[in-house]
């Protein structure tokens, strides 16, 4: 039995580099502090098109905190793309004092308006490694599923809009590993513009890697949603920007 244990241990040590070359990846769990800006409006055929509501000045939204998750899975097989999965949630709420405010069936209301948004983005990205040394470069395609709801309430009426949509996007990532150090710098982005709609996001970050691939990352994220196709009658031109920090495991 001791000999069997020694043989097993030796086998694992010998083949560990091979398994490392066959499959690898990265997992990231982070905390995002984001501030909203922009505007949105919601109209119905009976009420017509109202003026846009400013997210900060009219609806009273301010900075909020949410978590996000990313996972990359890479392999050496030719022609088969690598896979990245991601999930981001953006939530805001607030109260605004309005005059002659209109939103859906709420028409020319004056008083306090309570509102909230719950925006969820789930990404599936297929990408290829174009460079993989002290400079890393990836490119591919992202399918983003955007879903959520916007609630606007007064003491007289309640409006709840649910939305969901798949958005195809171009994907790119560039990473610079500072030679002879454990530091790296990274830029990552998705984006698309078509038929009057524009979606993009990007992040700029710096990372320090400790032992066994564990590291800390910090940087800046931005999301842009400009579309009138998320839900019938809903037109949005929204930005969410701010700093983030994450724990990373590169395996």
């Amino acid at each position: 039995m001791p000999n069997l244990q020694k043989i097993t241990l030796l086998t694992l040590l010998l083949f560990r580099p091979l398994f490392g070359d066959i499959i690898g990846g990265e997992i990231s769990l982070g905390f995002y502090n984001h501030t909203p800006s922009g505007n949105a409006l919601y109209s119905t055929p009976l009420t017509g098109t109202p003026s846009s509501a400013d997210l900060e000045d009219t609806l009273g939204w301010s900075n909020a905190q949410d978590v996000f998750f990313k996972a990359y899975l890479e392999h050496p097989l030719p022609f088969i793309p690598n896979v990245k999965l991601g999930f981001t949630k953006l939530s805001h709420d607030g109260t605004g004092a309005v005059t002659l405010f209109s939103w859906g069936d709420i028409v020319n209301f004056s008083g306090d308006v309570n509102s909230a948004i719950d925006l969820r983005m789930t990404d599936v990205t297929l990408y290829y490694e174009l460079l993989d040394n002290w400079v890393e470069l990836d490119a591919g395609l992202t399918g983003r599923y955007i879903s959520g709801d916007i609630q606007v309430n007064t003491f007289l009426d309640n409006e709840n809009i649910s939305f969901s949509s798949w958005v195809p996007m171009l994907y790119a990532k560039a990473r610079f590993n500072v030679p002879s150090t454990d530091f790296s710098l990274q830029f990552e982005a998705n984006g698309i513009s078509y038929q009057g709609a524009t979606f993009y996001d990007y992040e700029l970050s710096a990372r320090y890697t400790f032992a066994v691939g564990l590291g800390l990352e910090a940087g800046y994220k931005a999301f842009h949603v400009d579309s009138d196709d998320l839900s019938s009658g809903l037109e949005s031109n929204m930005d969410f920007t701010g700093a983030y920090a994450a724990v990373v495991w590169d395996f």
Side-chain angles (χ1 to χ4, degrees):
M1 185 63 69
N3 290 333
L4 179 60
Q5 291 175 342
K6 291 179 180 179
I7 294 173
T8 302
L9 179 59
L10 181 60
T11 302
L12 290 175
L13 290 175
L14 290 175
F15 280 92
R16 186 183 176 204
L18 177 61
F19 288 128
D21 290 337
I22 291 177
I23 192 168
E26 180 180 302
I27 297 174
S28 177
L29 181 63
F31 182 80
Y32 182 32
N33 183 76
H34 46 90
T35 300
S37 62
N39 54 72
L41 67 85
Y42 178 54
S43 61
T44 67
L46 296 178
T47 59
T49 303
S51 299
S52 296
D54 187 277
L55 304 185
E56 297 175 282
D57 297 337
T58 304
L59 300 181
W61 297 356
S62 59
N63 68 304
Q65 297 76 40
D66 284 291
V67 297
F68 67 90
F69 170 80
K70 295 191 297 182
Y72 305 78
L73 185 63
E74 299 183 344
H75 59 81
L77 300 177
F79 308 114
I80 299 177
N82 302 301
V83 179
K84 174 198 169 189
L85 302 176
F87 177 79
T88 301
K89 179 180 178 181
L90 303 173
S91 55
H92 290 273
D93 60 68
T95 300
V98 299
T99 302
L100 300 178
F101 171 80
S102 295
W103 182 277
D105 291 331
I106 302 172
V107 180
N108 294 332
F109 173 80
S110 297
D112 289 339
V113 170
N114 300 312
S115 62
I117 185 173
D118 184 10
L119 175 61
R120 299 175 296 275
M121 291 173 284
T122 303
D123 292 353
V124 178
T125 302
L126 303 179
Y127 69 94
Y128 292 95
E129 287 185 306
L130 305 181
L131 293 174
D132 187 18
N133 42 60
W134 61 276
V135 174
E136 301 177 23
L137 183 62
D138 300 339
L141 297 173
T142 292
R144 171 166 295 172
Y145 184 66
I146 300 178
S147 62
D149 59 81
I150 299 177
Q151 301 177 21
V152 176
N153 305 320
T154 71
F155 71 91
L156 294 174
D157 296 288
N158 299 318
E159 285 282 2
N160 187 10
I161 313 161
S162 296
F163 53 86
S164 62
S165 179
W166 278 101
V167 179
M169 310 176 79
L170 300 176
Y171 169 78
K173 184 179 77 170
R175 183 175 175 182
F176 173 67
N177 300 299
V178 181
S180 303
T181 74
D182 294 314
F183 284 99
S184 61
L185 303 174
Q186 180 172 290
F187 173 78
E188 188 172 29
N190 298 279
I192 194 72
S193 183
Y194 63 95
Q195 297 180 347
T198 300
F199 300 87
Y200 67 76
D201 66 275
Y202 67 87
E203 67 178 48
L204 294 165
S205 62
R207 179 186 301 182
Y208 183 82
T209 302
F210 301 95
V212 297
L214 290 175
L216 295 177
E217 183 176 291
Y220 179 86
K221 278 178 175 286
F223 291 88
H224 178 74
V225 178
D226 182 358
S227 175
D228 57 6
D229 293 329
L230 293 178
S231 182
S232 178
L234 176 64
E235 298 181 25
S236 60
N237 185 5
M238 302 183 293
D239 289 280
F240 305 90
T241 59
Y244 79 92
V247 176
V248 181
W249 180 36
D250 190 344
F251 58 91

